[in-house]
Amino acid sequence: MIEVLLILALIIITALSLVILYLYRNYVTPIRQIKQAAQKIYEGDFSRRIYIKGRNETVKVCALINKIADKYQSVQQKLDDKVKELDRCTRSLDNFAYVVSHDLKAPFNSIKSIAELFRIEYQNKLDEEGKELLHFIDIKVAEMDRLLQGVLQYSRVRESEESRGMVDLNILVSEVLKEVDPPAHIHINIKNPLPVVFIEKDLIYRVFLNLIDNAVKFNYKPEGYVEIGSSSDENWHNFYVSDNGLGIEAKYFEKIFNIFYRVQEGAAPPAPGVGLAIVKKIIEYKGGQIWVESKVKEGTIFHFTLPVIESQQKKTENKLQEAHQ
Ligand code: ADP
C-alpha cells in the first residue's frame, strides 16, 4: 500500500514539475523577455526585437511589440534625418551670414576711409549743414560697423576658437568681471561657488560677459546690485544673473533674444543688440535653455541651464585614465 502511495506521489510530483516547467517555458520566460523589450523601447532603444516559438497568445503579443518597435524605429530615423537636415541648413545659413558680412567689410571699410579723408580735406570748407551731414555719416558708419561685427560674431558661434575642456566658472567669472570693470556703485555678489563645466571656454565666457555686462549697463540706480549664482542636480546646471536695474516689460521677454533687437533705442549706450541673441544661440547649441524674469524698475533675472552629462562623462573618463596609469 505504501509503495502504491509513493508511486502515486512520485507521479503527481513529476506531473506538477512538468506543468511548472511548461508554464515557465511558455509564459514566465516570454513575459520576462516582453517586459525587458518593452522597457528598452520605453527608454528609446527601438532596435530590440523578441522572437519566441510557439502558438500561444504571448507569441502574438511579441509580434505586436516588434511591430511597435518597427514603427518607432522608422519614426526615429525620419526624425534623425530631419535633425541632420536642419543642422545642415543652420550651418549653411551661418556660413552665408558670415560670407556676406565678411565680404561687405571691404567696401564698407573703403567708405569709412573715404569719409575720413573727406573730413580731413573739406571740414573747414563746409557750411553748418555740410558738417551736420558729415556727422550723420559718422553715426551711420559706426552703426553699420557694429551690425557687421554682430553678424560675424553671431554666425561664428558654432565655430568656436577653442576645444572643449573642464572650465572652472569661478575663475572664468572673475576674468569676466575684470573685463566688465563695473563702476564703484554697482555691487557684485557671487552667491555660491560655481561649478566646473565641460565646455568651450570662449563660448561660456561670452555668455557670462554679455549677461553681466547688460546687468551693469542697464542699471541707473544710485546703488546697483548684480548677483550670479548656480545650483546643480545630476542632470542640469542652473545658473542665474540678476540685477536691480531698469527691468524689461513682459511683452519683450521673447523679442530681446532676437538678433538686433533693442527694447528702446537710445535707452542705453549704443550697442548692436546682438548680445542676447548670441547668448541664446550658445546655450541652445550646448543643449540648454535660457529665459528671463523681470519687473520694470525693479530688476531682471536671466536664468540658463546647461546639461551635466558631458562634464560627468569627462570626469569618468579622467578617473578611468587615472586608474589605468
Ligand atoms: P545690446 O547690444 O543692446 O546690449 P542685447 O541683445 O544684449 O543687446 O540686449 C537686447 C535688449 O534687451 C537690450 O537692448 C535691452 O533693452 C534689454 N536688456 C538686456 N539685458 C537687460 C537687463 N539686464 N536689464 C534691462 N534690459 C535688458
Side-chain angles (χ1 to χ4, degrees):
M1 183 65 185
I2 291 175
E3 281 90 352
V4 174
L5 279 176
L6 272 175
I7 290 168
L8 210 62
L10 209 64
I11 291 170
I12 291 171
I13 289 169
T14 312
L16 269 176
S17 303
L18 286 173
V19 169
I20 289 171
L21 198 68
Y22 174 81
L23 288 176
Y24 203 83
R25 280 182 61 179
N26 289 289
Y27 292 96
V28 178
T29 307
I31 283 171
R32 270 198 195 142
Q33 284 174 294
I34 291 170
K35 193 179 151 211
Q36 278 171 4
Q39 180 68 28
K40 287 280 168 198
I41 292 170
Y42 172 73
E43 286 166 6
D45 174 5
F46 306 128
S47 61
R48 181 64 75 98
R49 301 285 180 277
I50 336 162
Y51 299 103
I52 292 169
K53 286 181 191 150
R55 287 164 178 265
N56 58 31
E57 284 302 301
T58 50
V59 177
K60 289 182 189 159
V61 174
C62 291
L64 195 62
I65 287 191
N66 288 345
K67 272 189 190 163
I68 293 172
D70 284 346
K71 198 166 179 179
Y72 274 114
Q73 198 171 27
S74 95
V75 170
Q76 180 73 49
Q77 188 56 49
K78 279 183 195 151
L79 210 63
D80 288 349
D81 292 346
K82 289 281 169 209
V83 169
K84 277 186 198 145
E85 199 181 312
L86 205 66
D87 194 56
R88 271 198 300 276
C89 287
T90 313
R91 278 183 191 281
S92 71
L93 259 178
D94 277 353
N95 209 33
F96 175 73
Y98 177 78
V99 169
V100 169
S101 46
H102 189 263
D103 287 5
L104 278 178
K105 280 204 95 172
F108 167 74
N109 283 338
S110 303
I111 295 172
K112 211 161 116 179
S113 309
I114 294 165
E116 192 51 41
L117 212 64
F118 185 80
R119 180 205 315 287
I120 295 166
E121 293 290 326
Y122 295 95
Q123 176 118 311
N124 296 332
K125 296 175 191 155
L126 291 173
D127 60 9
E128 280 313 304
E129 201 184 346
K131 282 180 186 164
E132 203 178 337
L133 287 173
L134 202 58
H135 177 63
F136 280 135
I137 292 177
D138 282 346
I139 293 175
K140 291 297 157 192
V141 161
E143 207 174 294
M144 184 80 178
D145 204 5
R146 288 193 300 272
L147 290 182
L148 286 176
Q149 288 297 344
V151 179
L152 272 176
Q153 282 182 23
Y154 185 80
S155 63
R156 294 281 88 180
V157 162
R158 283 159 170 262
E159 314 295 325
S160 166
E161 284 161 17
E162 302 197 22
S163 54
R164 281 184 295 176
M166 299 304 279
V167 180
D168 184 339
L169 294 180
N170 300 289
I171 300 173
L172 182 121
V173 167
S174 68
E175 287 169 8
V176 168
L177 288 171
K178 266 190 210 139
E179 183 173 340
V180 174
D181 193 16
H185 72 283
I186 305 273
H187 309 280
I188 310 277
N189 178 31
I190 304 195
K191 181 83 175 152
N192 56 297
L194 302 171
V196 175
V197 294
F198 183 60
I199 200 165
E200 294 85 342
K201 188 180 169 198
D202 59 335
L203 294 187
I204 193 69
Y205 188 92
R206 269 191 269 169
V207 169
F208 277 104
L209 179 66
N210 278 304
L211 294 180
I212 296 174
D213 192 44
N214 280 348
V216 170
K217 193 165 71 177
F218 296 107
N219 196 332
Y220 300 138
K221 297 215 171 119
E223 293 294 310
Y225 294 96
V226 174
E227 188 170 280
I228 300 138
S230 72
S231 65
S232 300
D233 59 31
E234 58 180 21
N235 296 318
W236 295 98
H237 294 299
N238 307 289
F239 300 95
Y240 68 85
V241 176
S242 71
D243 64 65
N244 67 333
L246 281 180
I248 304 164
E249 279 184 71
K251 63 180 175 182
Y252 299 121
F253 284 1
E254 297 279 325
K255 290 182 181 159
I256 53 169
F257 293 104
N258 291 344
I259 190 161
F260 300 138
Y261 194 86
R262 301 182 62 218
V263 174
Q264 280 170 304
E265 288 298 327
V274 289
L276 289 179
I278 290 176
V279 168
K280 186 174 160 73
K281 199 170 171 193
I282 293 172
I283 297 296
E284 289 180 352
Y285 170 50
K286 293 283 109 195
Q289 282 186 312
I290 180 161
W291 66 98
V292 64
E293 282 175 56
S294 186
K295 275 198 178 147
V296 175
K297 292 186 187 157
E298 285 186 25
T300 304
I301 311 178
F302 280 95
H303 298 271
F304 66 95
T305 60
L306 285 173
V308 171
I309 312 132
E310 287 182 309
S311 55
Q312 269 183 345
Q313 261 174 9
K314 192 67 199 164
K315 275 184 207 160
T316 318
E317 277 168 28
N318 288 346
K319 272 188 189 159
L320 281 173
Q321 269 177 3
E322 277 168 27
H324 283 299
Q325 277 164 7

